[in-house]
Amino acid sequence: MKLLIQGNNVDVTESINDYVTQKLEKAVKHYQTLTTKVDVHLSVAKNARITDKHKAEVTVYANGTVIRAQEGSENLYASIDLVSDKIARQLRKYKEKINNHKPESSVKIPEVLPEQEVSGDLIGDREAELPPEVIRMKYFAMPAMSIEEAKHQLELVDHDFYMFLNQETEEINVIYMRNHGGFGVIQPREPNENDHISA
């Protein structure tokens, strides 16, 4: 298993590195055959008004499936404990689904491309600076799946929504958790003259 630990506004010391390694190896030890890579991102918010300043985010790559968890608290070590427990629960759920998986399912596992290092200096003699508004772009494989399978993926990624390719309609849909419980699905439709487009 490949483990990558990064920090934002926090110095990843040897003791933090050892603690993360110990906790996550324990969390994924029963799932070593499924897990290919684990990314850990630790951060500390500079805003004094934020109570849970210390955040730990873990992304596990398991046989083409992405399993993600995030936790925050007033202490970095406590956040690492919380996120390790959460990722272990999500991996257990994922393994149970695989074990109960029917062989006739048409879900395709996306291909995982090997990582490649970028050679040379991409910045040159320019100064590194961020644009005034930073938009984070994410790209991921989108195999066709049923709404039920998308609901399961939503539970694994620890987000409020999940975008997927509906295998019945062959259109992009979004499944989300409703505030009052249950799930909702957003599906596209052709606009009609009664629709009003607002900026």
Side-chain angles (χ1 to χ4, degrees), residues 177-190:
M177 284 192 254
R178 300 180 72 233
N179 290 337
H180 302 294
F183 297 88
V185 176
I186 300 172
Q187 296 180 321
R189 71 168 170 82
E190 290 293 322

Side-chain angles (χ1 to χ4, degrees), residues 90-125:
Q90 287 176 241
L91 279 165
R92 186 169 62 246
K93 262 167 122 175
Y94 173 64
K95 191 172 183 184
E96 283 168 8
K97 184 182 186 263
I98 288 175
N99 291 341
N100 298 331
H101 205 302
K102 293 176 184 167
E104 65 265 23
S105 173
S106 62
V107 175
K108 293 174 189 161
I109 296 173
E111 181 186 352
V112 179
L113 298 174
E115 289 188 10
Q116 294 180 336
E117 281 190 34
V118 178
S119 59
D121 184 3
L122 298 177
I123 296 175
D125 59 354

